[in-house]
Amino acid sequence: MSTTSTAVECDRPRPPWKGPAETAYEMLPIDSDAAHAAVAALAEDRVHLLASQGVTVSASRATALLREPGALGLYEDGLLVGCLVLRTGPDVRHWAADGHDAGLLVALDPATVGTTQVGRLLTLWLADHAARKQLSWVWCEVPSPSGSTAGTSQWLLTYLCDLGWEARYPAVRSPAGGRVVRLRLRAEARAAMAAAISGPHTGATAAVSAP
């Protein structure tokens, strides 16, 4: 089997990002009971919204994921609107050559990734955050669409692809044993993001590179 990866980018038109005018955004750790309650509420809202679009996702998976170290929430005027987890020291050998450069590995869940506008903010923030850490890439993994979770995985793949992430094929087997599609986003410093979103109050760098 060939180990050469190919990049696939969605050709759907991407709406221009409109930066916040008078809106205050903050990226803060999810590390309190109140923050976890906000995650649960956000996940439930998104589950119902996606269900109305024919996409079934799990709120419990999202709330469990966001109890892991490195969980961060994007707040708009104090309201939680999106979440992610920055992985520290993950094993990325299964990325092969794609994981040789230093990068940032992020975990995203359909129930808490937010609206398209929030997803675009998170994407831009991640690219800027990685660049400021002098990293080359932001990486993400999505379960390969198959079986009962195929619709959920395909939705997240399409969502991220529409935001400018590259999907790398073929799918590979993760250390946990499941097959995953790798996605990457090139690090890019954006001065406007530092002004738009205050950074997380955390010392984790989440910098990783494959051996």
Side-chain angles (χ1 to χ4, degrees):
M1 181 184 294
S2 171
T3 58
T4 302
S5 294
T6 57
V8 176
E9 289 190 90
C10 292
D11 56 4
R12 297 175 178 81
R14 298 173 190 154
W17 174 66
K18 298 179 181 179
E22 298 179 355
T23 303
Y25 289 92
E26 293 181 288
M27 189 71 80
L28 301 172
I30 303 293
D31 59 2
S32 68
D33 290 343
H36 290 302
V39 168
L42 174 65
E44 288 293 343
D45 284 347
R46 292 291 296 169
V47 163
H48 292 306
L49 176 62
L50 291 174
S52 71
Q53 300 171 9
V55 180
T56 302
V57 301
S58 168
S60 59
R61 181 189 180 281
T63 53
L65 175 68
L66 287 154
R67 287 187 175 273
E68 296 181 10
L72 296 172
L74 178 66
Y75 290 80
E76 179 183 0
D77 287 337
L79 178 67
L80 184 68
V81 293
C83 309
L84 53 81
V85 179
L86 297 183
R87 301 289 194 190
T88 56
D91 182 355
V92 293
R93 288 175 292 180
H94 57 292
W95 277 67
D98 283 341
H100 284 176
D101 295 329
L104 181 74
L105 185 63
V106 60
L108 298 165
D109 188 271
T112 51
V113 76
T115 63
T116 299
Q117 179 70 1
V118 169
R120 184 160 295 277
L121 278 170
L122 291 175
T123 296
L124 292 170
W125 181 85
L126 283 165
D128 178 72
H129 184 67
R132 292 178 186 279
K133 296 289 185 182
Q134 298 184 323
L135 306 176
S136 301
W137 299 98
V138 183
W139 301 320
C140 183
E141 295 178 345
V142 174
S144 184
S146 63
S148 60
T149 62
T152 302
S153 296
Q154 188 58 60
W155 182 91
L156 186 56
L157 280 170
T158 301
Y159 177 92
L160 293 175
C161 193
D162 284 348
L163 293 174
W165 293 71
E166 290 181 298
R168 307 290 289 176
Y169 290 99
V172 299
R173 194 166 298 280
S174 74
R179 294 190 64 80
V180 295
V181 177
R182 299 155 297 156
L183 296 103
R184 69 180 188 180
L185 177 74
R186 186 175 297 277
E188 182 180 356
R190 294 175 179 269
M193 293 311 298
I197 303 176
S198 63
H201 304 297
T202 175
T205 61
V208 298
S209 61

